[in-house]
Amino acid sequence: MNRVAGKVCVVVGGAGGIGSAISTGLAGEGAQVAVLDRDAEHGRNVVQEITDKGGEARFWSIDVTDAQVVERVFGEIAEHFGTINVLVNSAGITGSHARAHEATEDDFDKIYAITVKGCWLATKYAVPHMLTAGGGSVVNISSIMGLVGGASLPLYHGTKGAVRLMTKADAISYASDGIRFNSVHPGPIETSLSVAAAASDPLGKEEYMRRLLSNVPLGRRGEPDDIAAGVIYLASDESKFVTGTELVIDGGYTAR
Ligand SMILES: NC(=O)c1ccc[n+]([C@@H]2O[C@H](COP(=O)([O-])OP(=O)(O)OC[C@H]3O[C@@H](n4cnc5c(N)ncnc54)[C@H](O)[C@@H]3O)[C@@H](O)[C@H]2O)c1
């Protein structure tokens, strides 16, 4: 019930399938939660769900690619809650399935802006508050696709690999400041993002899912709560000696 009690946690992409499970999970463990997303309708629903259960949360509308907006929103969060202790970067899109020679410059810029630049911008404007607080924890949601290659979604693979190594570099840079950085690598999780990726794959939804799940030893997709459980651990002081690690939650996909 109180694994992150007293901590102010910011969840970027907090309206999404995984982000909403993280937001409600952190609030259920006693955190005050700032839910950030460009999807205001679902974001406000997440906050309502938390407050209905007696938790404390507030929604901010944000486009994580817009530096001015990110700077303003993180300032408002610190003013509202008094500080920022935990940042979770969960905003993302899967983008184009096109291979390198077929993808457009726009395909590239769009996915790198949200996944890579967005992760960096949120970190840039959260860290000063953590330095003032004397420490903190940043959890970046990468993917199994940031660990291994694959023919589907090549641009997405590149962005998730970048998130993985940004996390490790920041873990080392900020270790002496008491700010921990870790990445989480989900396997296939049932959310609108994975449904959309399957539906837009040239193989067709059924064949895409069949091939994907045939590589998961546990034989099924995971649930958003499976990822939230790992994030709560990394946000909490239970993981106080853990930084620069990659927590893989994938039903065994990368074990083979
Ligand atoms: N679902 C999976 O199978 C899976 C697997 C591995 C990794 N992931 C990663 O987990 C994270 C969450 O994915 P999800 O499955 O919950 O998807 P989702 O689509 O349900 O959630 C993503 C959220 O990001 C938000 N978002 C997108 N662009 C934004 C922007 N510019 N500014 C602010 N918010 C923005 C969306 O509105 C959405 O609420 C993503 O980083 C994704 O890459 C998902």
Side-chain angles (χ1 to χ4, degrees):
M1 277 294 286
N2 289 310
R3 293 166 68 199
V4 285
K7 293 188 192 295
V8 175
C9 302
V10 182
V11 184
V12 185
I18 291 174
S20 60
I22 293 169
S23 298
T24 54
L26 288 167
E29 291 294 342
Q32 296 167 295
V33 181
V35 178
L36 275 52
D37 208 289
R38 65 178 177 186
D39 179 346
E41 188 190 341
H42 285 107
R44 293 207 168 91
N45 289 344
V46 173
V47 167
Q48 189 68 49
E49 189 184 334
I50 291 171
T51 51
D52 283 351
K53 289 180 182 157
E56 200 179 335
R58 189 173 147 181
F59 175 73
W60 274 268
S61 180
I62 195 171
D63 177 351
V64 80
T65 68
D66 186 330
Q68 282 185 342
V69 173
V70 178
E71 181 177 18
R72 174 182 54 77
V73 165
F74 277 77
E76 288 176 11
I77 293 166
E79 203 175 303
H80 179 75
F81 287 117
T83 188
I84 293 174
N85 305 113
V86 173
L87 167 67
V88 183
N89 280 307
S90 186
I93 58 168
T94 47
S96 169
H97 288 274
R99 293 184 295 165
H101 75 287
E102 294 156 339
T104 65
E105 200 174 346
D106 189 52
D107 291 334
F108 181 95
D109 289 344
K110 194 173 169 196
I111 192 162
Y112 274 80
I114 295 173
T115 311
V116 182
K117 184 181 171 193
C119 182
W120 166 68
L121 278 176
T123 302
K124 175 175 170 62
Y125 290 112
V127 160
H129 302 289
M130 296 180 179
L131 291 172
T132 304
S137 172
V138 177
V139 185
N140 292 325
I141 309 299
S142 176
S143 171
I144 49 172
M145 295 187 179
L147 297 173
V148 295
S152 185
L153 301 169
L155 292 176
Y156 179 78
H157 277 264
T159 64
K160 290 300 181 178
V163 167
R164 170 178 175 265
L165 269 191
M166 275 202 314
T167 309
K168 290 186 192 298
D170 288 343
I172 295 166
S173 300
Y174 292 105
S176 59
D177 299 300
I179 309 175
R180 299 182 293 107
F181 284 76
N182 294 288
S183 54
V184 172
H185 299 261
I189 307 295
E190 192 153 1
T191 67
S192 56
L193 178 139
S194 58
V195 169
S200 59
D201 193 280
L203 288 171
K205 187 178 165 189
E206 308 305 326
E207 181 58 12
Y208 175 89
M209 284 315 301
R210 195 195 61 73
R211 287 196 196 184
L212 189 64
L213 294 184
S214 71
N215 286 316
V216 179
L218 289 182
R220 58 179 160 78
R221 277 187 287 185
E223 294 162 12
D225 281 350
D226 293 322
I227 308 307
V231 173
I232 292 167
Y233 164 69
L234 292 171
S236 79
D237 294 339
E238 293 159 21
S239 58
K240 63 185 188 303
F241 196 52
V242 180
T243 197
T245 200
E246 38 195 61
L247 178 54
V248 182
I249 306 175
D250 69 349
Y253 186 99
T254 52
R256 39 182 80 234

